[in-house]
Amino acid sequence: MERSWYWRVALIVAVALFSLWQLVPSWFYFKLPPDQRSTEAYEHAVPGWAPTSQKHLNLGLDLQGGIHLAMGVDVERAVKAKVARRADEIAEYLKSKNVPAESVTTTAGGTRVAVKAADPKQVESSVLDSYDQEMYSPGVVDGAVTFAFKDTVLRDFQSKAVEQAEKTIRNRVDKWGVSEPDIKRKANNQIQIQLPGFKDPEKAKELLGRTAQLEFKITDDENPALDQLRGQLTPCATADGFRIPLPQGGCWSTESVELPNGTARAVTILAANTRPEIEKLIQEKATPLLDPQKNVVGIGEATVGQGPTRQQYYRTYLLRAKTELTGDYIADARAAIDQSQQFGQSGRPLVQFTMSVEGGRLMQKLTSENMRRRMATVLDDKVETAPYIQGEISTNGQITLGSGRNPQEMFEEANQIALVLKAGALPAPVTISEERTVGATLGPELVRRGTVAALIGLGLVLLFMVAYYRASGLVADVALVLNGLLVLAIMAMIGSTLTLPGIAGFVLTLGMAVDANVLINERIREELRAGRTIKQAVQQGYDKVFWTIVDSHVTTLVAALVLMNYGSGPVRGFAVTLAIGLVASMFTSIVVTRAFMEFFTRHETARLSV
Amino acid sequence: MRFKSFDLIPHGTKFDFVGKRHIAVALSLIVNAAVLLWAVPAIHGLNFGVDFAGGTEMEVKFGQPVDPGAIRKSIEDLGFKGASVQTYGAESENAFLIRVERIALMSDADVKRVVDAVQAKVPIQSWSFNPEIGDKIDFQFKQPPSPQELQAAVEGAGIGVREVRAEQGLVAGTRSFAVITQGIREKIEHDLATRFAEAKPDVRRVEYVGPAVGRELRNQGFKAVLYAIGLIVVYIGLRFDFRFSPGVVIAIVHDAIVTLGYFAFSGREFNLTSIAVILTVVGYSVNDTVVVYDRIRENHAKFKGKSLAEIVNLSINETLGRTFLTSFATALSLVGLLMYGVGTIFDFSAAMLVGIVSGTYSTWFIAAPMTIWLEELADKKKKSRAAPSAAAPAAPAGRAAQK
């Protein structure tokens, strides 16, 4: 045998073994009963010698049951709200500057602000003096000066509205403790949500219930009510710092807080790894100790550790029950860099926000009464941030961030907080534009039918090849089985999803994979008829059809790639399976079968049934 | 070397494919035109599934036999017109597919009626209705009513209300109200659960697609098919000769249309998976064509003296066995899916089968003879331009052939 033959055989054996090895996690995953396929049970079941990434084949929503939702964010309404709020602001602004104006309204379907005044020029210059960063004046219409937002501002604003909606959705999904939810933004202001295994479509509608509710509450840091829990629960920290992950069922820790009188106090907080866990802990341990009229426990997110060991956890804030102010009163919020030189803070990221006129009054009262306390911003029942009140705030306020981190990270955080505050300024409702729910009873039946169908297809193809081409057919059959194995292994390796159309795609690629061997064998027959020796015929057969096989695979691959780009969900699953199948088929039909055939025809006098 | 083999297709056939090309082209033109005409909405139209038409589709399985007519009636009683109820899978499974169109849930007249009814009770400051959403009206009031009042007002106009939702208003510190009028899925599910309680209905699958999304998916699907055809043609052009491309394009388009014909004439649902089949057929049907073109190229170099028609005929006949067998093998793999697939997967397999057969036919009777026709066309042009030049007729694919 040629030297290269040994190399090729080594490669084939390596690929076969590697494929089997890659399928080990999937094997153990599917051995678990469907309702026990949680991350933990799975990690426990997989042996140590399995591939370290532990990626396995996943069942698509159509086979596993679950919910797929696409939600459209009504950005038009958010824009209208922004214009209406700006109109309010401008009216107040003109009043403060003593510029006479008859009326300030919205026009052009709520997309422009119109100011009626005796002296339009004065209004125009006065407004643009202050708002020229964001607005321009398209001119005077019916005796009123109009103002519109610049396109760049609107685009940025719309994308913020979608981002905000996505954040709200994430928050709400997070509360249910669904394993592996997949939430992503799509084109056309759409957000796609996939909740595998989730069985409660009514609950999913909660995602739409209302636009996110933002509330301001004051923390109750002097209240010692929760301090007695320290004796009853496990501490979160050992002498070396926080345990990662936190103990099951939650734990307690302390946070050093500066009180209004200048002293510091170690405030008790509770912490846990998941939101359902901490909710249970609060309900069982903390709530009985509190007066519901006076206090509530807020939940926030925090992280511990750096880099790869960084882990997210949930913690509590003890808050006063009263909602002091809601986000409805916020007109705008943005992240900015501190330009002032005072306190030596120049260049620090901060969050600026603007309240409506009435909101400004409420805010002023709230801040003056609670100077140097912390004010928690609670978005959809989650404490997002709790900065200290350092000065009186009325219409315009700002939140400075804690120091000591890199500016990039801090600016990111400032952006996040601005986004939270915008929940008030961005009343962009979401509507369901697509919903696909598969109940738990359908999946297993489809899997069963799909498997039977695939086995019948595979069996028929195997039978046909061996009946028609005898020994050569058997060689093609071995390659075909290896092909199936390889396809599944690659899918497992990239953790891709097996859908019902995906099974159909898998079956189809098996049929297409033998096409290549049909071409090769037919060519060999032809070469034999032309009077070549079997060894020459095999060589010629493979050489001559090589490019034909490549061409035919590439054209189908092109179609598969286009489909991958177009489809989502099950159809995408089909395209992925088809593409992987085609690549695997090129390897098995050309490399694998050829190595076998060359082995059987190594002598000039060899006989081979084709 | 003695060589024995059993041939399904005998070798050495001398069937005159080129000679039959006029009949074949006429037949194909008729079939294609029929499919396209049939697919025109005004004449018959495709049976668009919810993916493309928008609407709600539910798969419900009952524990005992239920009359589909009774299901349809109960849905119509709920006020959803044009519901369709089909048996799904085998009769004995008692499974049904229920479809309700959702486009134009509320007509403009409905909206006006609601707004007038509300206006009569509470002065409206502004309202908006987005027909793309179809079931939601937003109201702003100077003096906000209670949600109950609002609901009563809307129901007074004869429109069912699912939910009245208080939302943040456009101006900071104000409230607005969203009135959501229907919830098809909830209503049907609840209705089935009560009316057919003894038959134990199990809602196994629900798909809802909004009208805007449906239209978007339809446009994108159409574009995807065009892109795929374009890319494949470019590839074939680069690998062979751009003179081969027209034949390939015509064959691909032919096969795509014939596959579409499966959905058009059977009236089966045309959805995202159907686009997947058409794309796969587009990619797969070229395979046979590539085999024959490869052979034409090879024979062209081998037999210099023969006419193109002879070479094309020879090439098709020489590759007859493999063209048939590759299609046969792929079709075999679909048998299991045809036997055990229900609904979409059955249609996938059946349409794929149609596509495979069409791909083989178009290779023999359309794509290969097309090269001759194009050659004749090129000759005529050449002759009319430089009258009696003695240049030999250019061979298709002369370039890549000499290796």
Side-chain angles (χ1 to χ4, degrees):
Chain A
M1 294 299 328
E2 282 175 69
R3 197 189 161 93
S4 82
W5 185 84
Y6 291 99
W7 281 112
R8 279 181 284 152
V9 169
L11 176 70
I12 293 164
V13 172
V15 167
L17 291 177
F18 181 76
S19 301
L20 283 173
W21 185 56
Q22 285 295 337
L23 285 170
V24 167
S26 304
W27 170 263
F28 283 97
Y29 179 76
F30 286 105
K31 245 179 68 177
L32 290 171
D35 51 334
Q36 286 172 31
R37 286 177 192 157
S38 68
T39 321
E40 263 169 58
Y42 163 66
E43 274 171 12
H44 189 74
V46 173
W49 47 268
T52 43
S53 69
Q54 300 200 339
K55 287 210 170 136
H56 53 78
L57 279 170
N58 287 301
L59 290 182
L61 282 184
D62 56 341
L63 295 181
Q64 186 184 2
I67 297 175
H68 163 108
L69 289 168
M71 300 205 171
V73 182
D74 193 349
V75 290
E76 260 172 53
R77 187 176 144 78
V79 168
K80 280 186 194 165
K82 186 173 173 78
V83 173
R85 278 160 203 232
R86 180 54 56 88
D88 250 24
E89 259 180 72
I90 287 176
E92 194 67 13
Y93 169 82
L94 291 174
K95 213 187 282 172
S96 74
K97 293 272 174 187
N98 290 318
V99 178
E102 272 171 52
S103 71
V104 182
T105 51
T106 60
T107 177
T111 58
R112 285 179 186 179
V113 178
V115 184
K116 261 207 166 78
D119 184 357
K121 279 273 163 263
Q122 189 194 6
V123 170
E124 187 180 334
S125 68
S126 171
V127 169
L128 290 184
D129 232 17
S130 194
Y131 293 103
D132 69 328
Q133 293 268 318
E134 291 187 347
M135 305 186 84
Y136 69 101
S137 175
V140 178
V141 180
D142 300 336
V145 201
T146 58
F147 298 97
F149 282 98
K150 292 177 179 167
D151 275 357
T152 48
V153 176
L154 280 184
R155 263 200 302 278
D156 176 60
F157 176 73
Q158 289 176 342
S159 103
K160 283 268 167 38
V162 180
E163 203 177 320
Q164 169 60 46
E166 185 193 344
K167 189 179 171 66
T168 306
I169 289 169
R170 268 185 203 286
N171 245 337
R172 291 178 184 171
V173 169
D174 201 27
K175 276 189 222 164
W176 307 333
V178 187
S179 69
E180 299 173 36
D182 179 26
I183 298 164
K184 55 180 171 240
R185 285 172 73 173
K186 309 265 282 185
N188 298 337
N189 305 318
Q190 300 265 324
I191 298 164
Q192 177 189 299
I193 305 139
Q194 297 202 311
L195 307 170
F198 195 66
K199 293 185 187 72
D200 191 351
E202 284 313 299
K203 205 170 174 186
K205 298 281 167 65
E206 193 189 314
L207 292 173
L208 306 165
R210 56 200 154 84
T211 44
Q213 189 69 36
L214 177 70
E215 298 168 322
F216 294 100
K217 287 177 192 269
I218 301 294
T219 60
D220 195 357
D221 294 322
E222 286 117 312
N223 190 336
L226 298 183
D227 290 352
Q228 53 181 293
L229 289 175
R230 296 184 194 183
Q232 299 173 25
L233 301 169
T234 349
C236 298
T238 59
D240 308 328
F242 253 59
R243 303 183 203 184
I244 306 173
L246 297 176
Q248 281 272 314
C251 55
W252 71 272
S253 181
T254 61
E255 176 183 35
S256 177
V257 175
E258 206 178 298
L259 299 180
N261 62 19
T263 58
R265 192 178 109 77
V267 175
T268 306
I269 62 166
L270 304 177
N273 292 316
T274 64
R275 174 127 192 171
E277 244 181 309
I278 197 141
E279 277 175 358
K280 187 159 173 265
L281 190 65
I282 292 169
Q283 203 190 350
E284 285 173 3
K285 300 289 180 185
T287 315
L289 302 173
L290 299 170
D291 175 358
Q293 297 292 316
K294 286 194 179 133
N295 289 106
V296 290
V297 180
I299 300 170
E301 263 175 31
T303 54
V304 61
Q306 289 289 326
T309 62
R310 190 183 166 108
Q311 203 201 326
Q312 192 188 50
Y313 65 95
Y314 294 85
R315 54 155 294 183
T316 60
Y317 291 86
L318 186 55
L319 307 172
R320 291 190 192 158
K322 189 180 169 215
T323 297
E324 306 282 349
L325 194 60
T326 61
D328 302 8
Y329 295 101
I330 292 183
D332 199 5
R334 69 222 143 248
I337 303 284
D338 193 354
Q339 303 292 344
S340 67
Q341 292 297 322
Q342 56 173 347
F343 315 124
Q345 286 178 336
S346 177
R348 243 170 82 170
L350 47 77
V351 184
Q352 297 176 328
F353 59 90
T354 314
M355 308 290 290
S356 70
V357 183
E358 202 196 338
R361 259 175 243 132
L362 294 170
M363 185 57 108
Q364 188 169 26
K365 181 161 174 290
L366 172 69
T367 49
S368 62
E369 280 170 6
N370 292 289
M371 198 60 77
R372 305 189 67 185
R373 284 182 206 281
R374 292 191 294 166
M375 181 170 70
T377 54
V378 188
L379 178 69
D380 243 13
D381 296 331
K382 182 175 150 204
V383 178
E384 293 284 347
T385 171
Y388 288 97
I389 299 171
Q390 285 166 331
E392 221 170 81
I393 299 171
S394 61
T395 334
N396 290 296
Q398 64 182 45
I399 300 171
T400 45
L401 275 61
S403 56
R405 280 162 304 153
N406 77 54
Q408 189 59 45
E409 218 171 275
M410 282 173 70
F411 194 73
E412 186 50 41
E413 190 184 330
N415 255 324
Q416 283 297 314
I417 295 173
L419 202 56
V420 169
L421 294 178
K422 272 202 165 164
L426 288 176
V430 287
T431 42
I432 297 183
S433 49
E434 205 180 323
E435 178 195 340
R436 296 172 197 266
T437 313
V438 177
T441 51
L442 189 60
E445 193 188 316
L446 292 181
V447 171
R448 190 181 56 78
R449 279 172 178 274
T451 315
V452 173
L455 289 177
I456 292 176
L458 176 67
L460 285 175
V461 172
L462 290 177
L463 222 74
F464 164 70
M465 287 303 279
V466 79
Y468 197 67
Y469 293 113
R470 309 296 163 84
S472 317
L474 198 63
V475 167
D477 283 353
V478 172
L480 190 62
V481 172
L482 182 62
N483 175 70
L485 204 65
L486 190 55
V487 173
L488 293 177
I490 295 174
M491 287 181 68
M493 215 164 82
I494 60 175
S496 74
T497 306
L498 199 62
T499 62
L500 186 60
I503 294 179
F506 179 72
V507 176
L508 198 60
T509 57
L510 293 180
M512 291 183 186
V514 293
D515 281 8
N517 289 111
V518 170
L519 290 180
I520 293 164
N521 290 346
E522 287 294 318
R523 187 76 202 205
I524 293 173
R525 281 185 175 187
E526 198 178 328
E527 297 295 329
L528 287 173
R529 268 186 223 113
R532 293 185 213 283
T533 67
I534 187 109
K535 187 171 183 174
Q536 285 169 333
V538 167
Q539 292 286 355
Q540 287 279 321
Y542 277 94
D543 287 344
K544 282 200 176 153
V545 295
F546 178 79
W547 281 108
T548 310
I549 291 173
V550 171
D551 288 342
S552 62
H553 278 78
V554 169
T555 51
T556 315
L557 198 58
V558 166
L561 293 179
V562 170
L563 187 58
M564 217 190 279
N565 209 20
Y566 159 69
S568 69
V571 169
R572 200 184 143 80
F574 166 79
V576 171
T577 314
L578 188 62
I580 293 174
L582 289 164
V583 173
S585 151
M586 265 197 269
F587 171 74
T588 53
S589 57
I590 300 173
V591 180
V592 177
T593 60
R594 184 168 192 168
F596 275 105
M597 297 290 268
E598 283 181 5
F599 176 77
F600 291 128
T601 60
R602 59 194 179 284
H603 306 300
E604 291 292 339
T605 55
R607 296 172 61 103
L608 180 75
S609 49
V610 174
Chain B
M1 177 77 216
R2 283 180 309 117
F3 166 69
K4 271 194 301 187
S5 73
F6 152 69
D7 286 301
L8 214 53
I9 302 280
H11 71 94
T13 50
K14 289 203 169 58
F15 192 76
D16 182 15
F17 289 92
V18 174
K20 304 277 185 301
R21 72 182 190 276
H22 300 292
I23 303 166
V25 167
L27 179 72
S28 288
L29 277 176
I30 291 168
V31 169
N32 280 282
V35 171
L36 291 180
L37 275 176
W38 201 248
V40 169
I43 296 173
H44 184 268
L46 291 168
N47 176 15
F48 282 122
V50 283
D51 289 337
F52 293 145
T56 301
E57 184 177 275
M58 307 169 83
E59 189 187 325
V60 187
K61 191 177 161 75
F62 292 91
Q64 61 192 62
V66 172
D67 173 29
I71 302 175
R72 189 177 304 115
K73 186 170 179 312
S74 90
I75 292 167
E76 273 169 7
D77 287 352
L78 283 173
F80 301 117
K81 286 173 200 80
S84 84
V85 179
Q86 289 166 259
T87 31
Y88 195 71
E91 195 87 28
S92 58
E93 296 199 23
N94 302 316
F96 298 93
L97 200 63
I98 299 171
R99 258 184 71 186
V100 185
E101 303 289 332
R102 194 189 129 120
I103 291 176
L105 253 190
M106 268 199 287
S107 62
D108 287 347
D110 288 338
V111 174
K112 192 175 177 308
R113 225 169 48 237
V114 170
V115 171
D116 288 347
V118 173
Q119 180 77 35
K121 293 262 171 65
V122 206
I124 300 171
Q125 190 177 8
S126 68
W127 62 273
S128 63
F129 168 74
N130 181 350
E132 297 287 313
I133 295 168
D135 63 356
K136 182 167 157 270
I137 310 178
D138 287 312
F139 290 102
Q140 299 257 352
F141 302 96
K142 281 220 169 65
Q143 297 288 315
S146 75
Q148 290 78 12
E149 273 180 85
L150 191 55
Q151 176 157 358
V154 176
E155 279 172 348
I159 302 280
V161 175
R162 187 178 83 197
E163 190 188 350
V164 172
R165 204 190 282 162
E167 285 176 342
Q168 241 158 275
L170 292 179
V171 173
T174 64
R175 295 263 123 211
S176 77
F177 294 89
V179 176
I180 297 155
T181 52
Q182 320 205 25
I184 294 181
R185 176 233 170 92
E186 292 83 351
K187 282 191 176 167
I188 294 179
E189 212 174 329
H190 181 253
D191 185 63
L192 288 179
T194 45
R195 284 210 206 192
F196 299 94
E198 75 286 355
K200 296 193 188 59
D202 173 20
V203 177
R204 311 216 287 178
R205 179 170 65 89
V206 180
E207 313 222 350
Y208 159 70
V209 176
V213 173
R215 205 160 43 232
E216 176 76 19
L217 286 173
R218 206 159 55 198
N219 291 342
Q220 282 178 355
F222 185 64
K223 269 192 214 150
V225 174
L226 288 187
Y227 285 148
I229 293 178
L231 287 170
I232 289 169
V233 167
V234 169
Y235 178 81
I236 294 290
L238 291 174
R239 281 280 303 129
F240 291 83
D241 189 306
F242 272 103
R243 262 188 286 181
F244 273 173
S245 295
V248 171
V249 182
I250 289 165
I252 293 180
V253 172
H254 171 271
D255 299 336
I257 291 174
V258 172
T259 312
L260 184 72
Y262 167 79
F263 293 99
F265 292 126
S266 70
R268 306 285 294 190
E269 205 178 283
F270 190 79
N271 52 29
L272 283 175
T273 317
S274 317
I275 292 283
V277 185
I278 292 183
L279 275 171
T280 314
V281 167
V282 160
Y284 181 75
S285 78
V286 198
N287 293 5
D288 296 342
T289 315
V290 166
V291 172
V292 176
Y293 278 10
D294 255 345
R295 185 53 63 100
I296 293 177
R297 194 160 69 179
E298 209 180 305
N299 284 339
H300 209 277
K302 216 163 39 177
F303 308 104
K304 286 277 180 210
K306 290 196 178 178
S307 75
L308 186 59
E310 279 175 286
I311 286 175
V312 169
N313 252 342
L314 178 70
S315 303
I316 298 177
N317 277 299
E318 277 181 359
T319 53
L320 206 56
R322 70 208 60 180
T323 306
F324 173 77
L325 287 170
T326 49
S327 300
F328 181 69
T330 308
L332 261 189
S333 68
L334 295 172
V335 170
L337 291 171
L338 283 168
M339 285 164 63
Y340 282 87
V342 183
T344 306
I345 289 301
F346 176 83
D347 290 332
F348 169 92
S349 322
M352 190 70 214
L353 194 61
V354 170
I356 291 172
V357 172
S358 164
T360 309
Y361 162 84
S362 69
T363 296
W364 288 336
F365 292 99
I366 309 289
M370 194 59 68
T371 54
I372 298 170
W373 188 65
L374 286 164
E375 206 55 39
E376 284 167 359
L377 206 72
D379 271 0
K380 255 184 217 159
K381 257 192 192 163
K382 216 183 269 167
K383 272 182 196 143
S384 64
R385 219 176 287 158
S389 96
R399 191 192 59 181
Q402 272 77 14
K403 266 199 220 158

